[in-house]
Amino acid sequence: MFENLSDRLGGVFDRLTKQGALTEDDVTAAMREVRVALLEADVSLSVARNFVKAVTQKATGSAVTKSITPGQQVVKIVHDELIKVLQGEGAPDQLRIDNPPAPILMVGLQGSGKTTTTAKLAKRLKDREKKRVLMASLDTNRPAAMEQLAILGQQVGVDTLPIVPGENAVQIAKRAKQQATLGGYDVYMLDTAGRLHIDEVLMDEVQAVRDVANPRETLLVVDGLTGQDAVNVASEFDEKVGVSGVVLTRMDGDGRGGAALSMRAVTGKPIRFVGVGEKMDAIEVFDASRVAGRILG
Ligand code: GDP
């Protein structure tokens, strides 16, 4: 997931921990390398800069440099700062899916993994939380996308709203709500249409759906391999439709990891889940301390 970044940081910290005594200059030099490694992982400049500043401030105090194991202390500080930047302050967020039927709006660009993630999450809610879930595809432009969701639904044993040709996205959202209420579902997930780029038509449609569905959660699905672009997409979606959480997909690939590290700090939005493969159970709850551990190897 973070192979390159992990290798780079591993090299820096190996040297630090082997060195024994540390001067402030040693720490500063190491932090310069950390900054370059973060930027090469496509972490945003401001996040990399603030990160290094915070670590340097904490690591150059005499308590660290005069300790018996200064290198290890620096690594511990880096670990804690990584958690902070990945998670923000406070406890990790939970999905708000009480008061059935709870609508979850799934948004994102085409190809981000939105439909796959909708089905993965539905399966997770069904299997782990014993929720009755209904999924509906709102992608009226691409009948294939609607069929894809229906097929995935069958595969994971989750109901999908029957396809009625000729309806628009808002009509489908209303029908999903009705069906979820009448059918006694706990959660209904609206898989909105994606487009290749953010444009007004896409945003207008998502806003219209949001206004009728009044979602408890609006989850943005973004491709984790796209680094800073993923963060830009998140900022834009949040500004236009309001996002409650982010799902980063393709974190099984050898992406540079920057999206995970910048997302919370730049957008203020929590990463809730990460996609780690094409299979229906290849999704994990985002856990900042586990991710920090993986980055530090
Ligand atoms: P959508 O257009 O946003 O709905 O994207 P899809 O859900 O159709 O996904 C596009 C492709 O990405 C499919 O081939 C998925 O199997 C694949 N995909 C989605 N999530 C992941 C992931 O976490 N890891 C990997 N390796 N592939 C994924």
Short mmCIF file of all heavy atoms in Angstrom, two decimals, residues 104-172:
data_model
loop_
_atom_site.label_atom_id
_atom_site.label_comp_id
_atom_site.label_asym_id
_atom_site.label_seq_id
_atom_site.Cartn_x
_atom_site.Cartn_y
_atom_site.Cartn_z
N ILE A 104 -27.94 6.24 2.44
CA ILE A 104 -26.52 6.52 2.22
C ILE A 104 -26.35 6.89 0.75
O ILE A 104 -26.72 6.13 -0.14
CB ILE A 104 -25.63 5.30 2.53
CG1 ILE A 104 -25.80 4.86 4.00
CG2 ILE A 104 -24.17 5.61 2.23
CD1 ILE A 104 -24.92 3.67 4.39
N LEU A 105 -25.84 8.07 0.52
CA LEU A 105 -25.63 8.54 -0.84
C LEU A 105 -24.18 8.25 -1.24
O LEU A 105 -23.26 8.63 -0.53
CB LEU A 105 -25.90 10.05 -0.88
CG LEU A 105 -26.01 10.74 -2.23
CD1 LEU A 105 -27.18 10.17 -3.02
CD2 LEU A 105 -26.22 12.25 -2.02
N MET A 106 -24.01 7.55 -2.35
CA MET A 106 -22.66 7.23 -2.83
C MET A 106 -22.36 8.15 -4.01
O MET A 106 -23.10 8.14 -5.01
CB MET A 106 -22.59 5.78 -3.27
CG MET A 106 -23.00 4.76 -2.21
SD MET A 106 -21.90 4.72 -0.77
CE MET A 106 -20.40 4.06 -1.51
N VAL A 107 -21.28 8.92 -3.90
CA VAL A 107 -20.95 9.84 -4.98
C VAL A 107 -19.50 9.65 -5.41
O VAL A 107 -18.69 9.09 -4.66
CB VAL A 107 -21.20 11.32 -4.57
CG1 VAL A 107 -22.65 11.54 -4.16
CG2 VAL A 107 -20.28 11.75 -3.42
N GLY A 108 -19.19 10.12 -6.61
CA GLY A 108 -17.80 10.00 -7.08
C GLY A 108 -17.75 10.02 -8.59
O GLY A 108 -18.78 9.97 -9.26
N LEU A 109 -16.53 10.09 -9.10
CA LEU A 109 -16.36 10.11 -10.55
C LEU A 109 -16.47 8.69 -11.11
O LEU A 109 -16.25 7.71 -10.40
CB LEU A 109 -14.98 10.68 -10.90
CG LEU A 109 -14.76 12.15 -10.57
CD1 LEU A 109 -13.35 12.58 -10.97
CD2 LEU A 109 -15.80 13.03 -11.25
N GLN A 110 -16.80 8.64 -12.39
CA GLN A 110 -16.90 7.34 -13.07
C GLN A 110 -15.54 6.64 -13.03
O GLN A 110 -14.51 7.28 -13.25
CB GLN A 110 -17.31 7.60 -14.51
CG GLN A 110 -17.74 6.38 -15.27
CD GLN A 110 -18.27 6.77 -16.63
OE1 GLN A 110 -19.07 7.69 -16.76
NE2 GLN A 110 -17.79 6.10 -17.65
N GLY A 111 -15.57 5.36 -12.71
CA GLY A 111 -14.31 4.61 -12.70
C GLY A 111 -13.59 4.65 -11.36
O GLY A 111 -12.56 4.00 -11.18
N SER A 112 -14.15 5.40 -10.41
CA SER A 112 -13.49 5.50 -9.10
C SER A 112 -13.65 4.22 -8.29
O SER A 112 -12.90 3.98 -7.34
CB SER A 112 -14.07 6.68 -8.31
OG SER A 112 -15.46 6.48 -8.11
N GLY A 113 -14.65 3.42 -8.67
CA GLY A 113 -14.93 2.20 -7.91
C GLY A 113 -16.21 2.35 -7.09
O GLY A 113 -16.45 1.60 -6.15
N LYS A 114 -17.04 3.29 -7.50
CA LYS A 114 -18.25 3.63 -6.72
C LYS A 114 -19.25 2.47 -6.62
O LYS A 114 -19.72 2.15 -5.53
CB LYS A 114 -18.90 4.86 -7.36
CG LYS A 114 -20.04 5.45 -6.57
CD LYS A 114 -20.35 6.85 -7.03
CE LYS A 114 -20.31 7.00 -8.53
NZ LYS A 114 -21.24 6.11 -9.24
N THR A 115 -19.54 1.87 -7.78
CA THR A 115 -20.54 0.80 -7.77
C THR A 115 -20.02 -0.42 -7.00
O THR A 115 -20.72 -1.01 -6.18
CB THR A 115 -20.92 0.42 -9.22
OG1 THR A 115 -21.46 1.60 -9.82
CG2 THR A 115 -21.94 -0.69 -9.27
N THR A 116 -18.76 -0.75 -7.25
CA THR A 116 -18.14 -1.87 -6.53
C THR A 116 -18.17 -1.60 -5.03
O THR A 116 -18.50 -2.49 -4.23
CB THR A 116 -16.66 -2.02 -6.97
OG1 THR A 116 -16.61 -2.02 -8.38
CG2 THR A 116 -16.04 -3.27 -6.43
N THR A 117 -17.84 -0.37 -4.64
CA THR A 117 -17.79 -0.02 -3.22
C THR A 117 -19.19 -0.06 -2.60
O THR A 117 -19.35 -0.48 -1.45
CB THR A 117 -17.16 1.38 -3.04
OG1 THR A 117 -15.85 1.36 -3.61
CG2 THR A 117 -17.06 1.77 -1.58
N THR A 118 -20.19 0.36 -3.37
CA THR A 118 -21.57 0.31 -2.87
C THR A 118 -21.92 -1.13 -2.50
O THR A 118 -22.43 -1.40 -1.40
CB THR A 118 -22.54 0.85 -3.95
OG1 THR A 118 -22.14 2.17 -4.29
CG2 THR A 118 -23.98 0.85 -3.46
N ALA A 119 -21.61 -2.05 -3.39
CA ALA A 119 -21.93 -3.45 -3.13
C ALA A 119 -21.08 -4.02 -1.98
O ALA A 119 -21.58 -4.77 -1.14
CB ALA A 119 -21.72 -4.27 -4.40
N LYS A 120 -19.81 -3.64 -1.94
CA LYS A 120 -18.95 -4.12 -0.85
C LYS A 120 -19.48 -3.65 0.51
O LYS A 120 -19.52 -4.42 1.48
CB LYS A 120 -17.53 -3.56 -1.01
CG LYS A 120 -16.67 -4.20 -2.09
CD LYS A 120 -15.33 -3.43 -2.10
CE LYS A 120 -14.34 -3.96 -3.08
NZ LYS A 120 -13.10 -3.15 -3.09
N LEU A 121 -19.86 -2.39 0.55
CA LEU A 121 -20.35 -1.84 1.82
C LEU A 121 -21.68 -2.47 2.22
O LEU A 121 -21.92 -2.76 3.40
CB LEU A 121 -20.54 -0.33 1.70
CG LEU A 121 -19.37 0.54 2.09
CD1 LEU A 121 -19.75 2.00 1.92
CD2 LEU A 121 -18.98 0.28 3.55
N ALA A 122 -22.54 -2.67 1.21
CA ALA A 122 -23.84 -3.29 1.49
C ALA A 122 -23.62 -4.69 2.08
O ALA A 122 -24.25 -5.08 3.06
CB ALA A 122 -24.66 -3.38 0.20
N LYS A 123 -22.69 -5.41 1.48
CA LYS A 123 -22.38 -6.76 1.97
C LYS A 123 -21.87 -6.71 3.40
O LYS A 123 -22.26 -7.50 4.25
CB LYS A 123 -21.34 -7.41 1.05
CG LYS A 123 -20.93 -8.80 1.48
CD LYS A 123 -19.94 -9.40 0.49
CE LYS A 123 -19.71 -10.88 0.73
NZ LYS A 123 -19.16 -11.21 2.03
N ARG A 124 -21.01 -5.77 3.65
CA ARG A 124 -20.43 -5.60 4.99
C ARG A 124 -21.52 -5.30 6.03
O ARG A 124 -21.53 -5.87 7.12
CB ARG A 124 -19.43 -4.45 4.92
CG ARG A 124 -18.36 -4.50 5.91
CD ARG A 124 -17.51 -3.27 5.91
NE ARG A 124 -17.07 -3.09 7.27
CZ ARG A 124 -16.00 -3.67 7.79
NH1 ARG A 124 -15.22 -4.40 7.04
NH2 ARG A 124 -15.70 -3.51 9.05
N LEU A 125 -22.40 -4.39 5.65
CA LEU A 125 -23.49 -4.03 6.59
C LEU A 125 -24.40 -5.24 6.86
O LEU A 125 -24.85 -5.45 7.96
CB LEU A 125 -24.31 -2.87 6.03
CG LEU A 125 -23.59 -1.51 5.99
CD1 LEU A 125 -24.41 -0.48 5.22
CD2 LEU A 125 -23.34 -1.02 7.41
N LYS A 126 -24.63 -5.99 5.79
CA LYS A 126 -25.48 -7.18 5.93
C LYS A 126 -24.78 -8.24 6.80
O LYS A 126 -25.37 -8.75 7.74
CB LYS A 126 -25.78 -7.76 4.54
CG LYS A 126 -26.47 -9.12 4.57
CD LYS A 126 -26.78 -9.62 3.17
CE LYS A 126 -25.57 -10.22 2.47
NZ LYS A 126 -25.38 -11.65 2.61
N ASP A 127 -23.55 -8.56 6.45
CA ASP A 127 -22.85 -9.66 7.12
C ASP A 127 -22.46 -9.32 8.56
O ASP A 127 -22.62 -10.13 9.46
CB ASP A 127 -21.57 -10.04 6.36
CG ASP A 127 -21.89 -10.67 5.01
OD1 ASP A 127 -23.06 -11.02 4.79
OD2 ASP A 127 -20.97 -10.79 4.18
N ARG A 128 -21.92 -8.12 8.74
CA ARG A 128 -21.35 -7.80 10.06
C ARG A 128 -22.33 -7.14 10.99
O ARG A 128 -22.25 -7.31 12.19
CB ARG A 128 -20.16 -6.85 9.90
CG ARG A 128 -19.11 -7.47 9.04
CD ARG A 128 -17.79 -6.90 9.36
NE ARG A 128 -16.80 -7.53 8.54
CZ ARG A 128 -15.52 -7.57 8.83
NH1 ARG A 128 -15.09 -7.01 9.94
NH2 ARG A 128 -14.68 -8.16 8.03
N GLU A 129 -23.21 -6.32 10.43
CA GLU A 129 -24.12 -5.58 11.32
C GLU A 129 -25.55 -6.08 11.19
O GLU A 129 -26.46 -5.49 11.76
CB GLU A 129 -24.01 -4.08 11.04
CG GLU A 129 -22.58 -3.61 11.18
CD GLU A 129 -22.44 -2.11 11.22
OE1 GLU A 129 -23.39 -1.44 11.65
OE2 GLU A 129 -21.38 -1.63 10.81
N LYS A 130 -25.71 -7.14 10.39
CA LYS A 130 -27.03 -7.77 10.23
C LYS A 130 -28.10 -6.77 9.79
O LYS A 130 -29.23 -6.80 10.27
CB LYS A 130 -27.47 -8.46 11.54
CG LYS A 130 -26.44 -9.41 12.12
CD LYS A 130 -26.25 -10.63 11.22
CE LYS A 130 -25.07 -11.49 11.67
NZ LYS A 130 -24.25 -11.99 10.58
N LYS A 131 -27.70 -5.85 8.92
CA LYS A 131 -28.65 -4.86 8.43
C LYS A 131 -29.32 -5.37 7.16
O LYS A 131 -28.69 -6.06 6.35
CB LYS A 131 -27.92 -3.54 8.10
CG LYS A 131 -27.23 -2.89 9.28
CD LYS A 131 -28.21 -2.32 10.25
CE LYS A 131 -27.52 -1.56 11.37
NZ LYS A 131 -28.40 -1.29 12.50
N ARG A 132 -30.57 -4.98 7.00
CA ARG A 132 -31.24 -5.26 5.72
C ARG A 132 -30.99 -4.06 4.83
O ARG A 132 -31.36 -2.93 5.16
CB ARG A 132 -32.75 -5.43 5.95
CG ARG A 132 -33.12 -6.76 6.59
CD ARG A 132 -34.59 -7.04 6.40
NE ARG A 132 -34.92 -7.28 5.00
CZ ARG A 132 -36.06 -6.88 4.42
NH1 ARG A 132 -36.96 -6.20 5.10
NH2 ARG A 132 -36.30 -7.14 3.14
N VAL A 133 -30.36 -4.32 3.71
CA VAL A 133 -29.91 -3.22 2.85
C VAL A 133 -30.59 -3.31 1.48
O VAL A 133 -30.76 -4.41 0.93
CB VAL A 133 -28.37 -3.28 2.66
CG1 VAL A 133 -27.89 -2.09 1.84
CG2 VAL A 133 -27.66 -3.30 4.01
N LEU A 134 -30.96 -2.16 0.96
CA LEU A 134 -31.48 -2.06 -0.40
C LEU A 134 -30.54 -1.14 -1.18
O LEU A 134 -30.17 -0.08 -0.68
CB LEU A 134 -32.89 -1.45 -0.36
CG LEU A 134 -33.56 -1.20 -1.72
CD1 LEU A 134 -33.93 -2.51 -2.40
CD2 LEU A 134 -34.82 -0.33 -1.55
N MET A 135 -30.17 -1.57 -2.38
CA MET A 135 -29.30 -0.71 -3.20
C MET A 135 -30.08 -0.26 -4.43
O MET A 135 -30.90 -1.02 -4.97
CB MET A 135 -28.07 -1.48 -3.69
CG MET A 135 -27.23 -2.11 -2.59
SD MET A 135 -25.65 -2.73 -3.22
CE MET A 135 -26.17 -4.16 -4.17
N ALA A 136 -29.81 0.97 -4.87
CA ALA A 136 -30.45 1.45 -6.09
C ALA A 136 -29.43 2.19 -6.93
O ALA A 136 -28.66 3.01 -6.42
CB ALA A 136 -31.60 2.39 -5.74
N SER A 137 -29.40 1.88 -8.23
CA SER A 137 -28.52 2.61 -9.13
C SER A 137 -29.29 3.78 -9.73
O SER A 137 -30.41 3.63 -10.21
CB SER A 137 -28.03 1.71 -10.26
OG SER A 137 -27.35 2.50 -11.22
N LEU A 138 -28.68 4.95 -9.69
CA LEU A 138 -29.31 6.16 -10.22
C LEU A 138 -28.65 6.58 -11.54
O LEU A 138 -28.87 7.69 -12.02
CB LEU A 138 -29.18 7.30 -9.20
CG LEU A 138 -30.25 7.37 -8.09
CD1 LEU A 138 -30.43 6.06 -7.37
CD2 LEU A 138 -29.90 8.46 -7.10
N ASP A 139 -27.85 5.68 -12.09
CA ASP A 139 -27.09 6.04 -13.28
C ASP A 139 -27.92 5.81 -14.54
O ASP A 139 -27.76 4.80 -15.24
CB ASP A 139 -25.78 5.24 -13.33
CG ASP A 139 -24.78 5.86 -14.28
OD1 ASP A 139 -25.20 6.70 -15.11
OD2 ASP A 139 -23.59 5.51 -14.18
N THR A 140 -28.82 6.76 -14.80
CA THR A 140 -29.74 6.59 -15.92
C THR A 140 -29.04 6.72 -17.27
O THR A 140 -29.58 6.32 -18.29
CB THR A 140 -30.87 7.64 -15.84
OG1 THR A 140 -30.26 8.93 -15.75
CG2 THR A 140 -31.75 7.41 -14.64
N ASN A 141 -27.84 7.31 -17.27
CA ASN A 141 -27.12 7.45 -18.54
C ASN A 141 -26.49 6.15 -19.00
O ASN A 141 -26.19 5.97 -20.16
CB ASN A 141 -25.97 8.47 -18.40
CG ASN A 141 -26.47 9.79 -17.88
OD1 ASN A 141 -27.51 10.26 -18.33
ND2 ASN A 141 -25.74 10.38 -16.94
N ARG A 142 -26.24 5.27 -18.04
CA ARG A 142 -25.52 4.05 -18.39
C ARG A 142 -26.28 2.83 -17.89
O ARG A 142 -26.09 2.39 -16.76
CB ARG A 142 -24.12 4.07 -17.78
CG ARG A 142 -23.20 5.12 -18.42
CD ARG A 142 -21.77 4.90 -17.98
NE ARG A 142 -21.66 4.74 -16.53
CZ ARG A 142 -20.81 3.94 -15.92
NH1 ARG A 142 -19.98 3.19 -16.62
NH2 ARG A 142 -20.77 3.89 -14.61
N PRO A 143 -27.15 2.29 -18.75
CA PRO A 143 -27.90 1.10 -18.34
C PRO A 143 -26.98 -0.01 -17.85
O PRO A 143 -27.34 -0.77 -16.94
CB PRO A 143 -28.63 0.68 -19.62
CG PRO A 143 -28.66 1.90 -20.48
CD PRO A 143 -27.47 2.72 -20.11
N ALA A 144 -25.77 -0.06 -18.41
CA ALA A 144 -24.83 -1.12 -18.00
C ALA A 144 -24.46 -0.97 -16.53
O ALA A 144 -24.24 -1.96 -15.83
CB ALA A 144 -23.57 -1.07 -18.86
N ALA A 145 -24.40 0.29 -16.06
CA ALA A 145 -24.04 0.52 -14.66
C ALA A 145 -25.17 0.02 -13.75
O ALA A 145 -24.92 -0.54 -12.67
CB ALA A 145 -23.78 2.00 -14.42
N MET A 146 -26.41 0.22 -14.21
CA MET A 146 -27.55 -0.26 -13.41
C MET A 146 -27.53 -1.78 -13.33
O MET A 146 -27.77 -2.36 -12.28
CB MET A 146 -28.87 0.19 -14.05
CG MET A 146 -29.03 1.70 -14.05
SD MET A 146 -30.67 2.14 -14.66
CE MET A 146 -31.16 3.30 -13.43
N GLU A 147 -27.24 -2.39 -14.49
CA GLU A 147 -27.19 -3.86 -14.49
C GLU A 147 -26.03 -4.36 -13.65
O GLU A 147 -26.15 -5.39 -12.97
CB GLU A 147 -27.07 -4.38 -15.92
CG GLU A 147 -28.44 -4.50 -16.57
CD GLU A 147 -28.39 -4.39 -18.08
OE1 GLU A 147 -27.40 -4.85 -18.67
OE2 GLU A 147 -29.35 -3.82 -18.65
N GLN A 148 -24.93 -3.64 -13.68
CA GLN A 148 -23.75 -4.04 -12.88
C GLN A 148 -24.12 -4.11 -11.40
O GLN A 148 -23.78 -5.07 -10.70
CB GLN A 148 -22.61 -3.02 -13.08
CG GLN A 148 -21.31 -3.42 -12.40
CD GLN A 148 -20.33 -2.25 -12.29
OE1 GLN A 148 -20.57 -1.17 -12.81
NE2 GLN A 148 -19.24 -2.47 -11.60
N LEU A 149 -24.87 -3.11 -10.93
CA LEU A 149 -25.25 -3.11 -9.51
C LEU A 149 -26.19 -4.28 -9.21
O LEU A 149 -26.07 -4.93 -8.17
CB LEU A 149 -25.90 -1.78 -9.12
CG LEU A 149 -26.13 -1.62 -7.61
CD1 LEU A 149 -24.80 -1.44 -6.87
CD2 LEU A 149 -27.05 -0.44 -7.30
N ALA A 150 -27.10 -4.54 -10.15
CA ALA A 150 -28.04 -5.65 -9.95
C ALA A 150 -27.28 -6.99 -9.86
O ALA A 150 -27.57 -7.83 -9.00
CB ALA A 150 -29.06 -5.70 -11.08
N ILE A 151 -26.29 -7.13 -10.73
CA ILE A 151 -25.50 -8.38 -10.73
C ILE A 151 -24.70 -8.51 -9.42
O ILE A 151 -24.68 -9.56 -8.79
CB ILE A 151 -24.55 -8.42 -11.95
CG1 ILE A 151 -25.38 -8.58 -13.23
CG2 ILE A 151 -23.53 -9.55 -11.83
CD1 ILE A 151 -24.62 -8.28 -14.51
N LEU A 152 -24.09 -7.40 -9.01
CA LEU A 152 -23.32 -7.43 -7.75
C LEU A 152 -24.25 -7.73 -6.57
O LEU A 152 -23.88 -8.44 -5.64
CB LEU A 152 -22.57 -6.10 -7.54
CG LEU A 152 -21.43 -5.81 -8.52
CD1 LEU A 152 -20.84 -4.42 -8.26
CD2 LEU A 152 -20.33 -6.87 -8.40
N GLY A 153 -25.45 -7.15 -6.63
CA GLY A 153 -26.43 -7.38 -5.56
C GLY A 153 -26.73 -8.87 -5.42
O GLY A 153 -26.75 -9.42 -4.32
N GLN A 154 -26.95 -9.51 -6.58
CA GLN A 154 -27.21 -10.96 -6.56
C GLN A 154 -26.03 -11.70 -5.97
O GLN A 154 -26.17 -12.61 -5.18
CB GLN A 154 -27.45 -11.45 -7.97
CG GLN A 154 -28.90 -11.30 -8.39
CD GLN A 154 -29.12 -11.80 -9.81
OE1 GLN A 154 -28.18 -12.19 -10.50
NE2 GLN A 154 -30.37 -11.77 -10.23
N GLN A 155 -24.86 -11.26 -6.39
CA GLN A 155 -23.63 -11.92 -5.95
C GLN A 155 -23.46 -11.85 -4.43
O GLN A 155 -23.03 -12.81 -3.80
CB GLN A 155 -22.46 -11.20 -6.62
CG GLN A 155 -21.26 -12.03 -6.91
CD GLN A 155 -20.26 -11.15 -7.67
OE1 GLN A 155 -20.58 -10.53 -8.68
NE2 GLN A 155 -19.05 -11.08 -7.18
N VAL A 156 -23.77 -10.70 -3.85
CA VAL A 156 -23.54 -10.54 -2.41
C VAL A 156 -24.81 -10.78 -1.58
O VAL A 156 -24.79 -10.69 -0.36
CB VAL A 156 -22.95 -9.14 -2.06
CG1 VAL A 156 -21.61 -8.95 -2.73
CG2 VAL A 156 -23.91 -8.01 -2.44
N GLY A 157 -25.91 -11.09 -2.26
CA GLY A 157 -27.14 -11.38 -1.52
C GLY A 157 -27.80 -10.15 -0.93
O GLY A 157 -28.34 -10.19 0.18
N VAL A 158 -27.72 -9.04 -1.66
CA VAL A 158 -28.37 -7.79 -1.22
C VAL A 158 -29.38 -7.38 -2.29
O VAL A 158 -29.09 -7.44 -3.49
CB VAL A 158 -27.32 -6.67 -1.00
CG1 VAL A 158 -28.00 -5.32 -0.79
CG2 VAL A 158 -26.42 -7.00 0.18
N ASP A 159 -30.57 -6.95 -1.85
CA ASP A 159 -31.61 -6.58 -2.81
C ASP A 159 -31.26 -5.29 -3.55
O ASP A 159 -30.66 -4.38 -2.97
CB ASP A 159 -32.94 -6.33 -2.07
CG ASP A 159 -33.49 -7.62 -1.47
OD1 ASP A 159 -33.06 -8.70 -1.90
OD2 ASP A 159 -34.35 -7.52 -0.56
N THR A 160 -31.65 -5.24 -4.82
CA THR A 160 -31.53 -3.97 -5.55
C THR A 160 -32.93 -3.55 -5.99
O THR A 160 -33.80 -4.39 -6.23
CB THR A 160 -30.62 -4.09 -6.80
OG1 THR A 160 -30.98 -5.27 -7.52
CG2 THR A 160 -29.16 -4.18 -6.40
N LEU A 161 -33.11 -2.26 -6.09
CA LEU A 161 -34.39 -1.72 -6.54
C LEU A 161 -34.59 -2.11 -8.00
O LEU A 161 -33.68 -1.93 -8.82
CB LEU A 161 -34.34 -0.19 -6.41
CG LEU A 161 -35.65 0.56 -6.61
CD1 LEU A 161 -36.57 0.34 -5.42
CD2 LEU A 161 -35.39 2.05 -6.82
N PRO A 162 -35.76 -2.67 -8.34
CA PRO A 162 -35.97 -3.05 -9.74
C PRO A 162 -35.78 -1.85 -10.67
O PRO A 162 -36.12 -0.72 -10.31
CB PRO A 162 -37.43 -3.51 -9.75
CG PRO A 162 -37.74 -3.89 -8.35
CD PRO A 162 -36.91 -3.00 -7.48
N ILE A 163 -35.22 -2.12 -11.85
CA ILE A 163 -34.96 -1.05 -12.81
C ILE A 163 -36.25 -0.73 -13.57
O ILE A 163 -36.91 -1.62 -14.09
CB ILE A 163 -33.85 -1.48 -13.80
CG1 ILE A 163 -32.54 -1.75 -13.05
CG2 ILE A 163 -33.66 -0.43 -14.90
CD1 ILE A 163 -31.45 -2.43 -13.86
N VAL A 164 -36.62 0.56 -13.57
CA VAL A 164 -37.78 0.99 -14.34
C VAL A 164 -37.28 1.97 -15.41
O VAL A 164 -36.87 3.08 -15.07
CB VAL A 164 -38.84 1.69 -13.44
CG1 VAL A 164 -39.98 2.25 -14.28
CG2 VAL A 164 -39.35 0.75 -12.38
N PRO A 165 -37.27 1.53 -16.69
CA PRO A 165 -36.72 2.40 -17.73
C PRO A 165 -37.48 3.73 -17.81
O PRO A 165 -38.69 3.77 -17.58
CB PRO A 165 -36.91 1.59 -19.02
CG PRO A 165 -37.10 0.18 -18.57
CD PRO A 165 -37.73 0.24 -17.22
N GLY A 166 -36.76 4.81 -18.09
CA GLY A 166 -37.40 6.11 -18.30
C GLY A 166 -37.44 7.00 -17.08
O GLY A 166 -37.75 8.18 -17.19
N GLU A 167 -37.14 6.45 -15.90
CA GLU A 167 -37.15 7.31 -14.71
C GLU A 167 -35.87 8.14 -14.64
O GLU A 167 -34.81 7.70 -15.08
CB GLU A 167 -37.21 6.43 -13.45
CG GLU A 167 -38.60 5.95 -13.10
CD GLU A 167 -38.61 5.20 -11.76
OE1 GLU A 167 -37.55 4.68 -11.34
OE2 GLU A 167 -39.66 5.14 -11.15
N ASN A 168 -35.99 9.32 -14.02
CA ASN A 168 -34.75 10.07 -13.79
C ASN A 168 -34.24 9.77 -12.38
O ASN A 168 -34.88 9.06 -11.60
CB ASN A 168 -34.94 11.57 -14.04
CG ASN A 168 -35.93 12.20 -13.05
OD1 ASN A 168 -36.03 11.76 -11.91
ND2 ASN A 168 -36.64 13.21 -13.50
N ALA A 169 -33.05 10.33 -12.08
CA ALA A 169 -32.38 9.97 -10.82
C ALA A 169 -33.23 10.32 -9.59
O ALA A 169 -33.29 9.55 -8.63
CB ALA A 169 -31.03 10.69 -10.76
N VAL A 170 -33.89 11.47 -9.65
CA VAL A 170 -34.70 11.89 -8.50
C VAL A 170 -35.89 10.95 -8.30
O VAL A 170 -36.21 10.56 -7.16
CB VAL A 170 -35.15 13.36 -8.67
CG1 VAL A 170 -36.24 13.72 -7.68
CG2 VAL A 170 -33.96 14.30 -8.54
N GLN A 171 -36.49 10.55 -9.40
CA GLN A 171 -37.62 9.61 -9.31
C GLN A 171 -37.16 8.27 -8.72
O GLN A 171 -37.86 7.67 -7.91
CB GLN A 171 -38.24 9.39 -10.70
CG GLN A 171 -39.02 10.61 -11.17
CD GLN A 171 -39.40 10.51 -12.66
OE1 GLN A 171 -38.66 9.95 -13.47
NE2 GLN A 171 -40.55 11.08 -13.01
N ILE A 172 -35.98 7.84 -9.14
CA ILE A 172 -35.47 6.56 -8.62
C ILE A 172 -35.20 6.69 -7.12
O ILE A 172 -35.53 5.80 -6.33
CB ILE A 172 -34.19 6.11 -9.36
CG1 ILE A 172 -34.47 5.94 -10.86
CG2 ILE A 172 -33.67 4.79 -8.77
CD1 ILE A 172 -33.22 5.70 -11.70
#
